[in-house]
């Protein structure tokens, strides 16, 4: 059962090679990139501005800022706004496509500076305010992650019709099966990944019986 993302499959030596169409899919299918940067903040400046959970959608390269939900939990436990001055983790930037490449291709230090300046603008803070607030950061740039080399499959126009069947078609005389979001009509979603797993399990059961009675 092969459920690794296609960019990973592309980096593997496959001998003997898969069928021509499958090899074409592995070579040509497009994967989108995504990038997330988390900031560990020594105080929750957003909660002081009345923001409790949810996200800000911006026109900037950071695209989306998402706020932790634990404020709401502290309210329901009767702690009021006790978290204002506590540390909090902010999803400071969540972007896909061109913006993910733009941020991902610059050095971590400059990347962090750009994100801080954009967040200051979004929140109406003075320039440099976050220099003293952000203690640490962590970035995931999916195209650079060795177990993924991309965020999710994004068929280019016409590719779904041309390639989808070949993404899940078994290889080596129905002995190698394929699953994962990239083999599903609902590619790029968890639902697609789950459905593809169930479909592949059914295929394995079916072809196991066929092979058994062919012996
Ligand atoms: C930033 C981001 C946000 C998303 N948001 C949503 C969302 O809000 N809702 C939603 O439904 N979906 C979302 N998705 C999509 C969803 O995460 C995927 O569709 C789903 O996780 C795909 O599952 P999968 O099993 O096909 O692949 P993956 O979850 O990518 O699993 C592939 C596995 O293969 C492993 N692997 C790689 N190489 C090897 C190797 N050489 N040997 C062994 N194992 C290997 C990897 O470690 C990984 O565990 C998002 C994806 C990203 C990247």
């Amino acid at each position: 059962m092969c459920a690794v993302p296609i960019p990973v499959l592309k980096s593997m030596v496959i001998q003997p090679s898969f069928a021509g169409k499958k090899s074409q899919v592995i070579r040509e299918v497009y994967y989108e990139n995504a990038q997330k940067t988390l900031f560990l903040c020594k105080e929750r400046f957003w909660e002081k501005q009345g923001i409790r959970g949810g996200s800000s959608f911006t026109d900037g390269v950071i695209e989306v800022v998402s706020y932790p939900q634990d404020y709401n939990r502290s309210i329901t436990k009767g702690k009021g706004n006790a978290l204002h001055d506590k540390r909090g983790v902010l999803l400071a930037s969540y972007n896909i496509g061109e913006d993910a490449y733009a941020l991902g291709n610059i050095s971590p230090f400059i990347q962090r500076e750009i994100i801080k300046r954009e967040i200051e603008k979004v929140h109406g803070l003075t320039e440099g305010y976050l220099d003293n607030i952000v203690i640490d950061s962590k970035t995931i740039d999916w195209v650079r992650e060795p177990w993924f080399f991309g965020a999710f499959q994004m068929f280019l126009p016409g590719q779904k019709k041309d390639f989808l069947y070949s993404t899940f078609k078994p290889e080596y005389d129905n002995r190698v099966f394929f699953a994962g979001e990239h083999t599903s009509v609902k590619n790029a979603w968890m639902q697609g990944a789950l459905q593809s797993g169930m479909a592949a399990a059914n295929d394995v059961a079916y072809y196991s019986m066929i092979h058994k009675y062919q012996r």
Side-chain angles (χ1 to χ4, degrees):
M1 180 70 71
C2 178
V4 298
I6 285 185
V8 173
L9 196 52
K10 197 184 281 186
S11 70
M12 293 177 176
V13 177
I14 297 166
Q15 202 67 40
S17 59
F18 292 150
K21 192 75 180 179
K22 178 82 79 187
S23 300
Q24 187 188 359
V25 167
I26 295 169
R27 295 294 308 159
E28 295 183 10
V29 142
Y30 176 70
Y31 263 63
E32 192 54 280
N33 189 19
Q35 188 262 3
K36 286 187 182 183
T37 295
L38 298 164
F39 278 176
L40 173 61
C41 300
K42 75 178 184 195
E43 64 174 43
R44 297 161 179 241
F45 62 88
W46 58 92
E47 289 185 9
K48 287 181 175 166
Q49 296 179 330
I51 297 173
R52 295 147 195 173
S55 300
S56 295
F57 293 81
T58 81
D59 281 339
V61 71
I62 59 173
E63 287 188 15
V64 178
V65 185
S66 289
Y67 309 93
Q69 302 286 341
D70 49 354
Y71 174 93
N72 295 327
R73 282 206 296 277
S74 78
I75 291 287
T76 52
K77 284 181 186 164
K79 290 186 200 155
N81 57 7
L83 293 180
H84 275 185
D85 297 320
K86 296 267 188 292
R87 287 181 171 193
V89 176
L90 183 69
L91 177 53
S93 165
Y94 172 20
N95 51 24
I96 64 168
E98 292 296 321
D99 287 336
Y101 283 109
L103 269 186
N105 282 331
I106 48 185
S107 74
F109 174 78
I110 297 176
Q111 183 187 79
R112 203 161 99 143
E113 293 302 299
I114 289 173
I115 296 171
K116 280 194 286 188
R117 299 297 85 84
E118 286 214 4
I119 290 184
E120 284 161 0
K121 277 192 218 151
V122 170
H123 284 265
L125 302 167
T126 52
E127 190 175 326
Y129 178 87
L130 290 180
D131 290 343
N132 193 33
I133 300 289
V134 177
I135 306 166
D136 203 356
S137 69
K138 170 75 183 165
T139 292
I140 298 178
D141 186 18
W142 265 266
V143 85
R144 287 166 204 269
E145 290 293 319
W147 304 112
F148 302 96
F149 293 138
F152 35 73
Q153 187 195 71
M154 194 64 79
F155 285 115
L156 296 175
Q159 283 192 336
K160 199 165 213 166
K161 183 167 137 296
D162 286 349
F163 288 162
L164 184 60
Y165 175 65
S166 300
T167 60
F168 61 81
K169 191 168 181 291
E171 286 287 330
Y172 295 170
D173 192 23
N174 299 316
R175 284 179 169 80
V176 176
F177 297 85
F178 296 85
E181 57 87 13
H182 54 281
T183 67
S184 160
V185 181
K186 298 186 178 77
N187 57 293
W189 294 101
M190 285 183 272
Q191 188 185 359
L194 289 168
Q195 286 178 343
S196 77
M198 290 190 282
N202 281 337
D203 283 351
V204 170
Y206 175 76
Y207 283 108
S208 302
M209 279 175 52
I210 302 252
H211 290 311
K212 186 175 165 190
Y213 291 113
Q214 275 177 346
R215 263 190 232 134

